[in-house]
Amino acid sequence: KSRPNSERSKSKDLFQLASLARFFVPYKLAILAATTVLILTAVLSLSLPLAVRGVVDSFASDSSDLTNRYFLVAIIIAGLLAIGTAARYYLVTKLGERIVGDIRVAVFSHVINMSPQFFERTLTGEVLSRLTTDTTLILSVVSSSISFAMRNILILIGGVVFMTYTSPQLTGLSFLIVPLILLPVLALGNKLRRLSRDSQDKIADTSGVASELLIAAQTVQANTNETFSVEKFFNMTEDSFSIAKKRIFVRSLLTALLIFSVFTGIVVVVWFGALNVKAGDMSEGQLVQFLIYAVLVAGSIAALSESYGELQRAAGASQRLMELLVTEDTVREVTAP
């Protein structure tokens, strides 16, 4: 038995996710509501540093009323941000569960109507793997990664705008550090995508073989092939583990490089910012505001790299599911004249 499409192409980009677009169409209002809340929470996140700047700069004032007012504004923003984030999580997660449920039903409905010849040449276990493992990956992306990526894109753009408004000099310095963050992502991103796809394929193969051997357990025992079957399953599991180790190592290396470059960049920016404060070129509140925006931008870049990896894995999973949905039955039903 083989996979539904033996000449399977690698998932080269995220456009594979576009094949799932038709499953989103019935839920336009839910998507609009989730997107609106997402934008509002991003705006609130970008507003919080402004309130913090006001608090810090108010320390120089003799009156405590101004300080109390800014503290109150900051608390209100934090409360609205918490409510908005909870609402976003609820709306997006519920939408993801609904869409993935529709995908599972569509794939199952298509496969169950295939002729016996399809099941003779296709590993049943791999079909089950696609219905479970691959749809779980897509669920993770639809319910969290996509909205998370969109939110971080908005924060990244808004953060850069506010950074430039606060201190063009420090913003220029920060942009010199950005390549240190992006280069590891670009260099290791493709490697991670390939290993993720290979890992998914190995898991599907192992699951398929295990399913076939268990279904034919009586035949295996009758031919005293238990030892051979165990060795075969063990070897496939070890192959899967070997690829998983490589994927985990690359992901760990990417994380280490990101953490080092981000925190090193922050330290350098703080150093130059402190020199500007001593020179009287900016206030303490402006420096704190700039640093918060810098942290938000750096965090957004790091988060986007994580989301990119998840989206790549989901692109491979969606490709595998779409292969099942577009598989045509080679046996045609003959209608009675």
Side-chain angles (χ1 to χ4, degrees):
K1 293 187 178 183
S2 62
R3 295 169 179 161
N5 287 324
S6 58
E7 296 298 325
R8 181 186 298 168
S9 60
K10 293 287 184 181
S11 176
K12 295 181 179 179
D13 48 45
L14 300 182
F15 288 107
Q16 295 292 337
L17 292 172
S19 59
L20 302 176
R22 62 189 176 99
F23 293 100
F24 288 77
V25 173
Y27 307 105
K28 293 178 180 178
L29 291 179
I31 293 173
L32 178 61
T35 303
T36 301
V37 174
L38 184 148
I39 293 173
L40 290 176
T41 54
V43 171
L44 288 170
S45 297
L46 293 170
S47 301
L48 193 56
L50 297 175
V52 174
R53 172 186 174 179
V55 171
V56 175
D57 283 340
S58 69
F59 292 163
S61 174
D62 295 332
S63 174
S64 60
D65 291 339
L66 185 61
T67 303
N68 294 337
R69 194 178 304 122
Y70 276 116
F71 264 119
L72 180 61
V73 171
I75 291 173
I76 292 174
I77 293 175
L80 292 174
L81 181 59
I83 296 172
T85 302
R88 176 177 62 87
Y89 172 80
Y90 174 78
L91 292 172
V92 173
T93 304
K94 185 179 72 171
L95 177 64
E97 292 281 358
R98 180 67 275 168
I99 290 174
V100 169
D102 292 346
I103 293 173
R104 285 174 176 155
V105 171
V107 173
F108 180 81
S109 299
H110 181 71
V111 172
I112 200 66
N113 286 295
M114 300 295 282
S115 66
Q117 186 178 19
F118 171 83
F119 294 98
E120 289 177 0
R121 60 184 175 84
T122 304
L123 288 171
T124 305
E126 175 157 350
V127 176
L128 292 175
S129 175
R130 297 190 188 195
L131 280 171
T132 54
T133 305
D134 289 344
T135 52
T136 300
L137 279 174
I138 292 174
L139 174 61
S140 174
V141 167
V142 174
S143 62
S144 61
S145 296
I146 291 179
S147 65
F148 196 55
M150 290 176 61
R151 177 180 176 274
N152 280 290
I153 289 173
L154 292 175
I155 291 177
L156 174 62
I157 295 172
V160 170
V161 171
F162 278 106
M163 284 171 62
T164 305
Y165 171 76
T166 305
S167 174
Q169 181 184 11
L170 291 183
T171 303
L173 175 64
S174 301
F175 284 156
L176 294 177
I177 301 172
V178 168
L180 297 177
I181 302 174
L182 292 182
L183 288 177
V185 176
L186 296 176
L188 296 177
N190 288 333
K191 178 71 173 178
L192 181 61
R193 174 185 57 80
R194 291 193 297 269
L195 290 173
S196 297
R197 178 57 194 260
D198 291 342
S199 180
Q200 288 173 238
D201 287 342
K202 286 293 183 182
I203 292 173
D205 290 342
T206 304
S207 181
V209 169
S211 176
E212 297 300 311
L213 290 174
L214 290 174
I215 291 173
Q218 291 181 331
T219 303
V220 171
Q221 293 171 357
N223 291 280
T224 63
N225 280 334
E226 295 93 335
T227 302
F228 172 78
S229 299
V230 171
E231 289 179 355
K232 181 177 182 180
F233 185 77
F234 174 79
N235 291 332
M236 295 189 70
T237 302
E238 288 300 302
D239 289 342
S240 177
F241 177 64
S242 178
I243 294 178
K245 283 196 302 182
K246 294 178 182 178
R247 174 176 57 82
I248 293 169
F249 175 77
V250 172
R251 188 69 171 266
S252 301
L253 181 61
L254 180 60
T255 302
L257 289 173
L258 282 172
I259 291 175
F260 176 77
S261 57
V262 167
F263 280 97
T264 300
I266 291 174
V267 170
V268 172
V269 171
V270 169
W271 176 35
F272 275 89
L275 294 177
N276 285 336
V277 171
K278 287 183 175 295
D281 295 332
M282 63 189 307
S283 68
E284 291 88 347
Q286 284 179 303
L287 176 59
V288 171
Q289 174 184 309
F290 182 87
L291 291 177
I292 295 175
Y293 281 125
V295 170
L296 287 175
V297 169
S300 296
I301 294 174
L304 284 172
S305 71
E306 292 285 329
S307 298
Y308 183 62
E310 292 297 321
L311 289 172
Q312 286 180 317
R313 294 184 67 192
S318 64
Q319 180 184 4
R320 290 155 58 86
L321 287 168
M322 290 304 107
E323 285 175 359
L324 279 179
L325 278 175
V326 301
T327 299
E328 296 184 1
D329 208 340
T330 55
V331 177
R332 303 290 183 183
E333 291 187 7
V334 180
T335 56

